[in-house]
Amino acid sequence: MEDFFGRDSSLSSDIQDQAHSIMGKNFFGIDEAFHYFGIRPSKEELIHLAEIPWNEKVLKSCRDTHILVAAFPISILDIRDKAGRELYREFENTWYSRKCAEVFVNKKGEASWQLIRKTPVVGSTDKSWLEQQKLLGSDEETPTARILFYTIIGHFLVTGERLFENVSVWCSDLDSSGYCSRFGWYSTGPIVDTAWHTYEAVRGPGMGLSSVRIKRER
């Protein structure tokens, strides 16, 4: 992999290297974002990412269940284009390949570290949104569709592992009609869409909840 920093660069972070050694394959850092998504971080973004907001104990407890991600300002549409056509059976027919006006599909966000659960929250399928939310710990919340998509696609590009395959998980975004967003990886490819329901109105055996660790001070 091409190294964004260069082996002897003073920008290389010992903290990031330590986190990578703890998380192993469940890590998508600054170098990975550069290599796979073409991200060229600004100085301000690098400063913002200089510290990881979880300590060694937390990372070790999550290394098999979560992915630690350096997320950059890039939209779902941009991620899809950079990931490549080979991930999709019909690249041009995914609804978010068109000039979609939905804010959550086009939103780019900001640089941040994220710690994303690799599987649906335990026991969250076949429950309503409100029932699922009660399963989250005090240190968890539901991520945006952009952060989940960034994480899952990035992880696949590095490892070849397809997460959330043949299952959907709710994300926190709503579309302009108030319908809820979800992510799933199906035979047609990785899909972010809306379910044409409010969160309270739908449940199903293949419909779970995604989660992200809330950031804590080191």
Side-chain angles (χ1 to χ4, degrees), residues 95-96 104-105 145 168-171 173 175 179-184 186 191-196:
W95 74 271
Y96 54 96
F104 81 91
V105 174
S168 293
V169 286
W170 295 127
C171 305
D173 303 280
D175 70 10
Y179 296 132
C180 42
S181 61
R182 61 184 178 180
F183 172 87
Y186 303 99
I191 300 298
V192 174
D193 65 1
T194 53
W196 307 106

Side-chain angles (χ1 to χ4, degrees), residues 76-94:
I76 288 174
L77 288 175
D78 290 337
I79 296 167
R80 173 190 174 276
D81 291 342
K82 291 178 180 296
R85 294 173 176 267
E86 63 274 11
L87 298 187
Y88 298 86
R89 179 182 293 174
E90 297 180 342
F91 182 81
E92 298 300 338
N93 289 337
T94 54

Side-chain angles (χ1 to χ4, degrees), residues 20 22 28 32 58 69 81 98 105 109 144-145 167 195-196 199:
H20 195 176
I22 292 171
F28 190 86
E32 287 77 12
V58 171
V69 181
D81 291 342
R98 307 181 185 96
V105 174
T144 65
V167 65
W196 307 106
Y199 284 122

Side-chain angles (χ1 to χ4, degrees), residues 175-217:
D175 70 10
S176 56
S177 298
Y179 296 132
C180 42
S181 61
R182 61 184 178 180
F183 172 87
W185 196 312
Y186 303 99
S187 59
T188 54
I191 300 298
V192 174
D193 65 1
T194 53
W196 307 106
H197 292 285
T198 61
Y199 284 122
E200 292 80 5
V202 62
R203 66 175 69 199
M207 192 72 248
L209 183 70
S210 58
S211 74
V212 57
R213 289 289 292 252
I214 298 172
K215 300 177 184 66
R216 301 295 189 191
E217 63 277 0

Side-chain angles (χ1 to χ4, degrees), residues 7-188:
R7 180 172 298 177
D8 297 321
S9 173
S10 61
L11 289 175
S12 184
S13 168
D14 290 339
I15 293 176
Q16 184 182 203
D17 292 342
Q18 291 168 8
H20 195 176
S21 68
I22 292 171
M23 300 301 294
K25 71 173 185 177
N26 293 326
F27 180 85
F28 190 86
I30 297 170
D31 289 342
E32 287 77 12
F34 168 70
H35 180 77
Y36 291 102
F37 292 152
I39 300 294
R40 292 186 176 274
S42 67
K43 182 178 180 179
E44 291 74 19
E45 288 169 342
L46 291 175
I47 292 172
H48 192 65
L49 294 171
E51 295 289 329
I52 295 173
W54 297 280
N55 59 30
E56 181 179 354
K57 181 179 179 180
V58 171
L59 294 183
K60 285 183 176 179
S61 71
C62 294
R63 60 186 170 192
D64 296 323
T65 58
H66 290 67
I67 303 170
L68 180 62
V69 181
F72 284 93
I74 182 173
S75 71
I76 288 174
L77 288 175
D78 290 337
I79 296 167
R80 173 190 174 276
D81 291 342
K82 291 178 180 296
R85 294 173 176 267
E86 63 274 11
L87 298 187
Y88 298 86
R89 179 182 293 174
E90 297 180 342
F91 182 81
E92 298 300 338
N93 289 337
T94 54
W95 74 271
Y96 54 96
S97 67
R98 307 181 185 96
K99 292 183 178 179
C100 181
E102 292 293 347
V103 172
F104 81 91
V105 174
N106 291 280
K107 188 174 181 179
K108 294 189 175 183
E110 58 185 21
S112 62
W113 285 103
Q114 302 286 335
L115 197 51
I116 302 289
R117 181 176 288 278
K118 296 176 64 176
T119 58
V121 173
V122 176
S124 65
T125 56
D126 206 20
K127 288 182 172 62
S128 70
W129 170 263
L130 293 179
E131 291 170 334
Q132 290 173 336
Q133 291 297 302
K134 294 177 181 178
L135 299 174
L136 293 173
S138 60
D139 56 356
E140 294 179 294
E141 62 185 18
T142 308
T144 65
R146 184 187 74 86
I147 289 297
L148 188 64
F149 194 66
Y150 182 105
T151 301
I152 302 310
I153 298 303
H155 182 71
F156 172 78
L157 293 175
V158 173
T159 69
E161 182 179 14
R162 299 187 182 199
L163 302 177
F164 302 106
E165 194 167 19
N166 298 318
V167 65
S168 293
V169 286
W170 295 127
C171 305
S172 63
D173 303 280
L174 298 176
D175 70 10
S176 56
S177 298
Y179 296 132
C180 42
S181 61
R182 61 184 178 180
F183 172 87
W185 196 312
Y186 303 99
S187 59
T188 54

